[in-house]
């Protein structure tokens, strides 16, 4: 099924499939590739049809066992059908992300696709107070292999690492964007900037690095066209310090010791009061900026710098309120105005006591 005018097939050049093509980065990438003369055809794959012109639409869930038949004429697959939202149930999110990536890789091998590009995140490097700034692209992957979204990305990375042995002849390239920014982006990082006040952990500075989805799309275009080998980090050059973040956001900070921050956050998560585990919140407290050396060597440059990307985050989150990563109404946010993105700083102990009383006196 086709939407819009599709260019005639060329005798040379790859056929590129983009999953998640109806929205977000997938939509942007499909549109960019459709304009490139050296791309023979763009196959847009999603669970519902989008509006990108000049592409061939194949409506299918990426976890569908019938996916190999939809890739029969494809040379390269870029998987952008990934769930990031903190509101997604962890089991459902992992099923979508990990099983989806597994199905894409297996289907690609069955259809004799020569290359798969898996998009994960620089979260796989882990956020830690001792991280150098910036981390090299070949730094070890030290994220926690838990139920967090970073744990999803680690499983996807393991899939990429084992694919050459499991599927000889299939090349899998991993692309790792920094904290995403732009229309429609909803992550644990963007929720941090919905808080009335921004948490900082005593003795540490996060070193904020972002990746606007327009820049991710342009980077993936280069990865596909120039056949850049991975791992490939994508993000703005450099990073923002606390003073720059305060100036751009106009929000005051609230500093807490690490033990109190993460200990309380984990308790709140166990009580069902927060949507993300404490390990996800390391990414708003500690540095994890990465040097995008491979793309820079290929001549790629981001359109957005970190300041512009953060402004895009603030524009997208305007009018929203989140406390401990959970969306709340305006009045609730005002009451919890001492909260950072990880812990309702002044009310956490009281909340725990109330929860315990409710459990003791149902």
């Amino acid at each position: 099924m086709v939407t819009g005018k599709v260019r005639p097939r060329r005798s040379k050049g790859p056929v590129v499939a983009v999953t998640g093509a109806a929205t977000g980065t997938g939509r942007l990438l499909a549109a960019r590739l459709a304009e490139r003369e050296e791309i023979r055809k763009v196959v847009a794959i999603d669970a519902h049809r989008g509006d990108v012109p000049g592409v061939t639409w194949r409506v299918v869930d990426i976890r569908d066992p019938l996916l190999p038949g939809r890739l029969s004429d494809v040379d390269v697959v870029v998987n952008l059908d990934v769930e990031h939202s903190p509101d997604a149930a962890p089991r459902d999110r992992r099923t979508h992300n990990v099983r989806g990536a597994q199905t894409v890789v297996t289907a690609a091998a069955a259809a004799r696709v020569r290359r798969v590009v898996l998009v994960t995140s620089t979260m796989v490097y882990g956020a830690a107070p001792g991280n150098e700034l910036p981390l090299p692209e070949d730094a070890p992957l030290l994220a926690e292999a838990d139920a967090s979204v970073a744990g999803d990305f680690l499983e996807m990375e393991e899939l990429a690492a084992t694919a050459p042995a499991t599927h000889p002849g299939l090349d899998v390239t991993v692309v790792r964007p920094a904290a995403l920014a732009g229309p429609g982006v909803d992550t644990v990082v963007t929720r941090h900037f919905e808080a009335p006040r921004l948490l900082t952990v005593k003795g540490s500075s996060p070193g904020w690095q972002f990746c606007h989805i327009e820049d991710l799309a342009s980077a993936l275009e280069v990865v596909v066209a120039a056949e850049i080998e991975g791992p490939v980090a994508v993000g703005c050059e450099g990073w923002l310090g606390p003073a720059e973040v305060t100036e751009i956001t106009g929000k005051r900070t609230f500093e807490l010791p690490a033990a109190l921050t993460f200990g309380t956050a984990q308790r709140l998560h166990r009580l069902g009061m927060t949507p993300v585990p404490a390990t996800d919140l390391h990414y708003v407290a500690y540095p994890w900026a990465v040097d995008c050396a491979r793309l820079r060597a290929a001549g790629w440059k981001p359109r957005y710098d970190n300041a512009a990307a953060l402004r895009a985050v603030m524009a997208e989150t305007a009018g929203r309120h989140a406390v401990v990563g959970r969306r709340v109404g305006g009045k609730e946010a005002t009451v919890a105005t001492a909260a950072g993105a990880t812990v309702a700083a002044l009310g956490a102990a009281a909340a725990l006591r109330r929860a315990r009383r409710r459990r003791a006196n149902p």
Side-chain angles (χ1 to χ4, degrees):
M1 290 178 285
V2 179
T3 296
K5 184 178 180 181
V6 179
R7 297 188 317 240
R9 290 177 63 92
R10 298 175 176 82
S11 59
K12 296 181 180 181
V15 175
V16 181
V18 179
T19 71
T23 59
T25 309
R27 180 176 179 274
L28 294 172
L29 177 61
R32 294 182 72 99
L33 291 174
E35 295 297 320
R36 292 189 71 105
E37 290 296 322
E38 64 270 37
I39 302 298
R40 194 192 329 168
K41 183 172 70 171
V42 177
V43 176
I45 295 175
D46 212 316
H48 64 281
R49 191 196 311 272
D51 61 357
V52 181
V55 303
T56 299
W57 282 97
R58 295 176 184 172
V59 178
V60 61
D61 189 300
I62 61 168
R63 297 164 293 177
D64 194 319
L66 299 177
L67 184 61
R70 307 300 178 92
L71 302 177
S72 58
D73 59 343
V74 171
D75 300 298
V76 182
V77 179
V78 181
N79 183 42
L80 281 162
D81 195 340
V82 180
E83 177 63 69
H84 298 86
S85 175
D87 290 336
R91 183 175 297 178
D92 294 341
R93 189 204 63 231
R94 178 146 299 185
T95 297
H96 183 96
N97 291 343
V98 178
R99 185 180 297 174
Q102 290 171 337
T103 306
V104 167
V105 170
T106 302
R112 302 198 178 195
V113 174
R114 63 180 176 84
R115 188 185 187 200
V116 172
V117 179
L118 291 182
V119 179
T120 61
S121 169
T122 55
M123 294 178 83
V124 295
Y125 295 106
N131 278 350
E132 61 179 297
L133 282 173
L135 291 163
E137 282 172 307
D138 58 356
L141 308 186
L142 300 179
E144 295 284 343
D146 57 13
S148 67
V149 69
D152 296 2
F153 294 135
L154 281 176
E155 285 203 37
M156 294 167 67
E157 294 262 351
E158 184 177 354
L159 173 66
T162 59
T166 309
H167 306 291
L170 178 66
D171 176 59
V172 180
T173 300
V174 172
V175 174
R176 301 165 178 164
L180 294 174
V185 174
D186 179 24
T187 67
V188 65
V189 172
T190 61
R191 292 279 178 101
H192 173 69
F193 292 100
E194 295 179 25
R197 292 174 66 177
L198 304 180
L199 174 81
T200 60
V201 171
K202 190 173 182 179
S204 183
S205 175
W208 291 99
Q209 182 186 37
F210 296 93
C211 177
H212 196 282
I213 59 173
E214 290 183 16
D215 286 332
L216 177 55
S218 70
L220 288 166
E221 182 183 7
V222 172
V223 168
V224 169
E227 299 191 1
I228 298 176
E229 296 183 355
V232 180
V234 188
C236 304
E237 290 293 328
W239 56 89
L240 298 176
E244 295 167 295
V245 169
T246 298
E247 181 180 357
I248 292 168
T249 64
K251 296 189 176 186
R252 291 181 294 170
T253 60
F254 189 86
E255 186 178 82
L256 289 172
L260 174 61
T261 298
F262 300 117
T264 306
Q266 191 59 25
R267 292 186 187 96
L268 292 173
H269 181 62
R270 288 172 182 167
L271 289 169
M273 298 175 66
T274 68
V276 296
T279 51
D280 261 7
L281 302 176
H282 289 177
Y283 295 93
V284 303
Y286 297 135
W288 48 296
V290 183
D291 182 18
C292 307
R294 289 186 174 90
L295 281 172
R296 187 170 59 249
W300 176 84
K301 292 183 179 180
R303 175 183 174 187
Y304 289 78
D305 61 15
N306 283 303
L310 179 53
R311 292 187 186 100
V313 169
M314 299 309 296
E316 181 68 14
T317 59
R320 298 175 184 166
H321 305 280
V323 174
V324 202
R326 180 176 64 87
R327 290 253 172 88
V328 297
K331 291 183 179 179
E332 291 178 275
T334 300
V335 170
T337 191
T342 49
V343 57
L346 297 180
L352 284 170
R353 287 195 295 271
R354 288 195 299 270
R356 286 173 181 147
R357 283 198 295 270
R358 285 196 297 269
R359 292 169 66 185
N361 301 290

